[in-house]
Amino acid sequence: SIAREFLRRLRPFLILPLAEQSNTWLERLLASHLITGAIASIDYARTLTDSSMLLISHPIGWAIMAGTSHRQNQTEQAISITKVVLATIVPASVFLFIFSTDIVRLIFYRGAFGDHGLAMTSQALSGISIGLWASTLGWILLRFLNNIGRNKTTVVILLSSFVANFLFNYSIQSVPSSVEEGVFLLGVGETVRSGILLFGCVFFLEYRTRIAYEIMKAIIPAVAMGVIGFCIHYYIDASIFRLVAALLGYSITVMLAVLILSPDIFLRLPKFLNITAFRKGQ
């Protein structure tokens, strides 16, 4: 029956809430051992990084799930989406890592949110942002696995990512560190989870080599954003002016990334502008 088939497909996913909650429980336990407010700092940082998941990966992911493309067309679809996501989110991850303190100061630094909260939240944001690009792309590619019926593989990948995060968080208990370093390491634990998620998705997709090649090419704009960011951080003192200059640098880096990863967009741009001008002329 339909109900029996539904339960059969649902069965592999039942372990995921347990894995996720166990990982969250350990993370909260370790954070509470650091200092009061560490848990809140991690949540503040996630408020910023989760925006990319809501604005980028989830809409694209649901579009993939709802799409009617044939399987043979999904390879080019996945590669095209990968290029666009890498061009935007890789420089954004570097941007968040370098300017985490300035961003947190601009958005949260007021009232009861003092210097200590600023330091902890900035460290948490830095740790999470390292793997932000991997998490965003990983969740998108996971939808492609779902779309071709690889549900058990999807569960294995997600479960492995949570286990890796759990083991990393458990292992850092014995690492002597300051409060800020401890919060940073908890953020890095989320980066570990993101890396396993992306690696698992790429490994099980048939076009893994092409995706890996695009990821390698994305190193160039990442380095460019890093160089621009550190120069801005070194030469500009005022926080707000640093962010304005950084946003300009990010825009330039994204254009460089598009040129490297998907130059056909620039080739199509004149044709698009001509069509738009023609329609307005009518």
Side-chain angles (χ1 to χ4, degrees), residues 99 101-102 105 229-245:
F99 298 99
T101 301
D102 296 310
R105 179 182 285 113
F230 280 115
C231 288
I232 292 172
H233 217 281
Y234 183 79
Y235 288 107
I236 302 178
D237 293 328
S239 179
I240 187 65
F241 292 118
R242 269 204 302 260
L243 285 177
V244 171

Side-chain angles (χ1 to χ4, degrees), residues 91-160:
S93 295
V94 180
F95 174 88
L96 288 173
F97 178 79
I98 297 176
F99 298 99
S100 59
T101 301
D102 296 310
I103 295 170
V104 173
R105 179 182 285 113
L106 176 66
I107 297 176
F108 297 122
Y109 191 68
R110 57 184 59 86
F113 198 98
D115 292 334
H116 196 57
L118 173 65
M120 288 195 300
T121 305
S122 301
Q123 289 298 314
L125 179 58
S126 295
I128 297 172
S129 65
I130 296 173
L132 178 61
W133 67 275
S135 177
T136 305
L137 181 58
W139 279 107
I140 292 171
L141 295 179
L142 200 71
R143 300 305 197 280
F144 280 97
L145 284 173
N146 280 132
N147 209 31
I148 59 177
R150 303 286 297 274
N151 291 336
K152 290 184 179 179
T153 301
T154 298
V155 172
V156 170
I157 293 171
L158 286 173
L159 189 60
S160 299

